[in-house]
Amino acid sequence: MSAPEISVVLPKDGERNCWKNAFYRGSAFPALSRILLYNVASKWLADFPKLARKQVYDSFFVEGPTTEIVQALVPSLKQKGSTKDDFNVICSNIERLLMLCLLENEGVRLMVGEFGLLDEQDNNILKPDKVTFISRISQLLSSIPDKVRLRASSALSSHSFFRRVANQLLTGAEERAVQLNCNAIPDAAFLFVGETFSHVCRRGSIDVIVAEVIPRILSLVQSFLSSNANLVVPDVINSNPKSHFWLNMVEAIKDQYAVEKFSEEMLRQLASTSISDVEVYWILWILFSKNFKFGSFVRGMFVDKFLLWKVFPLCCLRWILQFAVFECPPNSDAQMEGRKTPHFLNSLQLLISIWSRREFVQSSSMEQQAYLTAAVGLCLERISKEELDATKDALSNILQGVSCRLESPIDLVRRMASSIALVFSKVVDPKNPLYLDDNCCEPVDWEFGMLPQRKQIAAASHNEDENKSKLFLREDRKSASDEKKQRVIKHKSAENNALIQELADPDENRNPVEVNGEHFSGEEDDDDSSDSSLKPYDLSDDDTDLQRKFSQLGDIAAALRKHDDPDGVEKALDAAEKLIRASPDELSHNSGDLVKALVHVRCSDVAMEGEEDSAEEKRQKALVALLVTCPFESLDVMTKMLYSSNIDVGQRILIIDIMTEAAQELCNTKVVKREQKQGELVSAVSQPWYIPSSRGPPGAGPWKEVSEPGTFLSWSHRYEREIPSRPGQTKAGKSRKWSLGKAKDLQVEWSQNRFPLYAAAFMLPAMQGFDKRKHGVDLLNRDFIVLGKLIYMLGVCMKCMAMHPEASALAPALLDMIRSRDVSNHAEAYVRRSVLFAASCILIALHPTYVASSLIEGNQEISGGLEWIRTWALHVSEADPDTECASMALTCLQLHAEMALQTSRALEAADQFKAQTRTLPPKLDNIIIPFSSTKF
Amino acid sequence: MSGGGGGGKPRPPPDPIAVMRGHRAPVMDACFHPSRPLLFSGAHGGGAGVYSVATNFAIGNKVVSQGRDGTCKCWEIEEAGLSRKPLVTFRTNSYHFCKISLVKSASCSSQSSKAIPASERIVESDYSINELEENKKNGVSKESIRFSDVNCAERSQAHLKDFSTMGERKLMALAGEDSSMVEIWDLATAKKLMRFPQTSNVDAASHPTMQRGMCMAIQAFIPSESGCSLNLLSGYEDGSMLWWDIRKPSLPLSTVRYHSETVLSLAVDGTCSGGISGSADNKIVMFSLDHRMGTCTMRKEISLERSGIAGTAIRGDNKIAATAGWDHRVRIYDYRKGNPLAILKYHSASCNAVAFSADSKLMASCSEDTTVALWELYPPKGTS
């Protein structure tokens, strides 16, 4: 294009602005911009030289007011061009222009200024149409990263774009704040910034903004802190125009959701920096204090949402409490004593009342519990006894909360209770702190290993819980045995003294001899010889032989009952397992007696200090041995005891644990069977004549036939046997025998899983009375731990007979039990976990062909039960508050899907069979597999 | 039993050379014949039996047994065992836990140990036949036996004549009908001669000895010094030990309390100038008796890890002492120095008594496990 000479009269500045305004704000600009964006861009722009493009084309947009530019550019991003190529060209051009206008030219900052000017023109009155205009512009601005094409420049990606936008917005707003100088709030410029923030927040990028905000406000606060030492007074901040911007900033964000997200993100990001508590306090103060005082929303957000519903790291919790509950800077503890706000006690009361609710303990997630416990604990640390007395219900609520937590099967929950109890006891009597368990240490660790690492909670497995509950029981017993411990310690020290004396004696013994030397004067001639002849033997001594040896089961049972002879009981426990495993003939007669005696032994009273666990273990092992060696008789007694009212919860749990272990052991037993000898059916004598007699040295092995290598027919029998080596004889090395014949089969046969034989005896009596309520027995409510363990045990039983026909026989009964509302919808997560476990075990245990046949036969118990498992697991995985439950439910669903697959295969096989034989009753032709839809 | 290597590891304690298993009940006491290779033992179980057996030179070829039935019996030792019927039966009416004691004479025992020729080893089978017969005949088991030898008795008569009237008689000391009293009986006539403390009936109950509880152990002896009158050591339930002289029956010569628990056994050495006591507490006390001053002083106190010493004995040559412990162990001490020499572990139940043979070569230990074990320890120089 050749440039003809054109005479141009440059207008004056004011005139020019006027023209500009008229052009850009009039209707001409949108129309012209549309032509430029669509027609020019798609057809000719590529041919423009770079400089021309910049001077002529770009300046059209760059020079204009940014609000108009945005309105013109952004909507065009989504308008479809005629062809795809056109569209791409158009879009890339718009993107380029946007980057140019908004980012390079700092158009966003200019926009803030524009709104400010706009405001001044209108005398600071925010008309509704202006508000909508502001909102529209900010929405357009924040939508840019979402509207640009995927291949657009990275500067327009939401992260970097918003970062630069936020930067410009903040700078602009700061400038505006300086202009305003404490007047005229609400201001359109602030409103725009706030609106943009909330739109950005709604688009999920609040973190970018917060990251921009923090360094600015932090440097501000630090400047205050450094200039005023520790005497930062709100007035100082108020008087600073810079801080004024921040004071109004949050107010300008009208969207409550955005404020909440903004504050939350702010706290989390602050937590990841190494920032002091004082600085954080003042940051929060500057941002929120205005709203906090007057707006119920911000107060509600901090006191209600952030304390009760969210989970922050512990340091954030401290900040939140400091700001919202204590309402004083953290370095002014002394001042605070005098002026605790009424809000403080109200908030505390609210916290405590929620904390103490049983439902909260049962249904909220573990990190939530830890968080709230920490909040309560930190508040209690600040309270005095008088204040505590003044708050109604707080005292009783705390006690109630502590006691219901102490009953929990989860160790962590109990630790929370003991921590609160410790803090509480220090409020009541600072000199007499109450330590509920040994691990309780003085500066309480409020994190409980929970709050910062938030992902690890779900990993806690069922087994861990079990251990924990065992631990719990043990701990309970520990306290009972304290007295005994002391006694033992005394006894020990006495013994030690004796030992020392005995050791010291040889040195002392000269004196008496010398003193009394006269008595032996007549024999002095012998002395030398006697001295040498009386050489001491080895004087070492141990008391292994003194320990009572039990050789009769009856003795053991009798010794176990003598609670006043702890040594005897301990030794009986030592000997019990070995003796029972030996399985003597009288075991079946004594087993019931032994079971009772073993269950009733109080290990903690018997064992020495520190050895309670080993005594407990011996007891358990002995009981397991009993169940394994003599299942029917022992189970008979044990299952009766399980629901009898004269044993306590600990013993009930013991019984269930024992049964679990025994089931597993029976399942894995290896029975050594002698190979049946063939061809001896007629023989009247136990040993055929041709086998050599069994006489020989003791310990000789049985005779074995040796096959003649090389021939199949042998005319003679050859036998060999092992003979123990003679006393003096030593074996040199190993001997190997090579033979042509095949390696003979092992003489022993490993037969696995003896459990199915006893499964019914294990399960049916235990399932019988779980829902009955008797004196001291209340599985469904109070003793839910027992119930959980029981169901777990039943699950293990199912697993132990997986794929055996017995499983199919017992599964309906177990399904029936876990399907009952009280069990499957139990308030305690512990029970629900057990139910999920049991359900999974059933899925594993049932043989697919059995499921298939029960479907074909229309066995409602099984098909209905399995379908119930699926629906219930689905429900749990979606709605259960306990994360562990949810993940277990997912596993359960997976297992169900696998089972369904296997079953459908089995059904196919059955169909083929049916086609061949046509013997199946016709009514069963249309069977709907209830779970065929559940493929994962 | 090896002579003993030089340094390094000490020898392991010896095993018994013989174990006699004839009894069916806990063996309560055993004693060697003073001259012949015989061992008498008494077992007591199920309410009947011999609680103690005793013999020594002074009573001739006889053995005395004590039951818990209120009687003591004196038996003749015959060729093939004991006499079918006891020579004498005493109705002592005492039902207590105190074993009887024959009189140990300082001169007698020291002579005898030299006088007796080395006797043959007692063979187990001999022993058990003997014992079983005895059991069958009596229908009771024995509790403690002490022997006396005729020869020795004759020899010591010369001394005894010089003593008080008691001297020449064959005497026996035991806890009496009132178990806190000690009584002296004449074996020949089966009559009670004296009792300690000798009090008038009026103040009997208030006598300090009465407050000491039952008499649990007695040792009678005639020291060569101090006028050679009969002396008595008696141990009581409260742990005190009294030393009586027969010439002053109303008050003990000396009263000591070395033990905190019941004194269960007392033994006086061959010279009668000291002894050893065991009790239910965890101490063994070696004491010496000063005859001129009439005082008893503690020479050595040995503390034990496990309490309860049911029996003690000192070998005739006064070199070693043995204790029978409730902890199933027999402990050997150097009697003069008091240092431990061996811990003998064989018995599987608490030991009730130990006894040394007159020639000092053998030791017998008897136990609740119904066995009697024979040990050969530190044999005297002349014989080894």
Side-chain angles (χ1 to χ4, degrees), chain A residues 73 293 403 415 467 488 537 580 591 650 654 718 728 757 881:
Chain A
L73 288 180
K293 267 177 205 147
S403 70
R415 229 172 76 209
N467 293 340
V488 171
Y537 288 96
I580 293 166
S591 58
L654 170 80
R718 287 179 59 183
L757 180 61

Side-chain angles (χ1 to χ4, degrees), chain A residues 205-403:
Chain A
S205 294
I206 191 71
D207 53 332
V208 184
I209 291 179
V210 173
E212 284 301 311
V213 168
I214 285 177
R216 285 162 187 267
I217 191 163
L218 183 60
S219 68
L220 182 70
V221 167
Q222 275 166 347
S223 75
F224 285 135
L225 286 176
S226 58
S227 59
N228 291 292
N230 282 329
L231 289 168
V232 182
V233 193
D235 300 339
V236 180
I237 296 174
N238 266 332
S239 64
N240 188 314
K242 263 192 171 175
S243 62
H244 226 267
F245 155 69
W246 292 110
L247 289 171
N248 297 321
M249 187 62 245
V250 175
E251 210 178 352
I253 306 176
K254 298 289 180 204
D255 186 355
Q256 294 187 343
Y257 172 79
V259 174
E260 192 187 314
K261 282 281 156 203
F262 176 76
S263 344
E264 195 183 331
E265 187 58 35
M266 174 78 102
L267 285 167
R268 291 197 195 282
Q269 288 199 9
L270 284 174
S272 63
T273 59
S274 58
I275 191 169
S276 78
D277 288 356
V278 183
E279 286 163 347
V280 174
Y281 175 79
W282 287 114
I283 289 175
L284 290 179
W285 192 88
I286 287 173
L287 287 175
F288 298 108
S289 64
K290 212 166 162 189
N291 284 347
F292 189 76
K293 267 177 205 147
F294 304 112
S296 64
F297 165 69
V298 175
R299 176 177 292 280
M301 179 179 82
F302 272 101
V303 176
D304 196 46
K305 277 220 170 114
F306 285 3
L307 287 181
L308 301 177
W309 297 103
K310 305 262 171 176
V311 177
F312 287 99
L314 186 66
C315 57
C316 294
L317 173 65
R318 285 181 196 275
W319 299 333
I320 294 165
L321 288 175
Q322 199 72 50
F323 173 70
V325 180
F326 306 149
E327 295 183 52
C328 72
N331 52 354
S332 63
D333 280 348
Q335 297 173 15
M336 157 150 177
E337 293 307 317
R339 48 176 195 97
K340 261 183 203 139
T341 58
H343 293 306
F344 172 66
L345 290 181
N346 286 341
S347 313
L348 177 61
Q349 228 164 329
L350 177 71
L351 285 175
I352 289 175
S353 68
I354 290 174
W355 180 81
S356 64
R357 266 181 224 153
R358 181 174 283 274
E359 294 76 32
F360 178 75
V361 183
Q362 285 175 342
S363 61
S364 59
S365 72
M366 200 51 77
E367 66 248 268
Q368 186 71 58
Q369 292 200 39
Y371 184 71
L372 186 57
T373 307
V376 171
L378 290 172
C379 287
L380 280 179
E381 278 177 351
R382 304 287 289 257
I383 202 172
S384 71
K385 188 170 185 303
E386 289 73 31
E387 285 164 326
L388 192 68
D389 290 339
T391 53
K392 57 170 188 188
D393 297 342
L395 205 108
S396 62
N397 277 341
I398 289 174
L399 292 179
Q400 185 199 330
V402 167
S403 70

Side-chain angles (χ1 to χ4, degrees), chain A residues 409-445:
Chain A
I410 300 159
D411 180 51
L412 195 63
V413 176
R414 291 194 304 277
R415 229 172 76 209
M416 290 174 198
S418 52
S419 302
I420 292 293
L422 174 63
V423 176
F424 176 65
S425 71
K426 278 160 79 183
V427 171
V428 176
D429 183 2
K431 281 171 210 146
N432 194 12
L434 170 71
Y435 296 99
L436 283 183
D437 68 56
D438 299 346
N439 310 333
C440 224
C441 50
E442 192 59 37
V444 181
D445 172 26

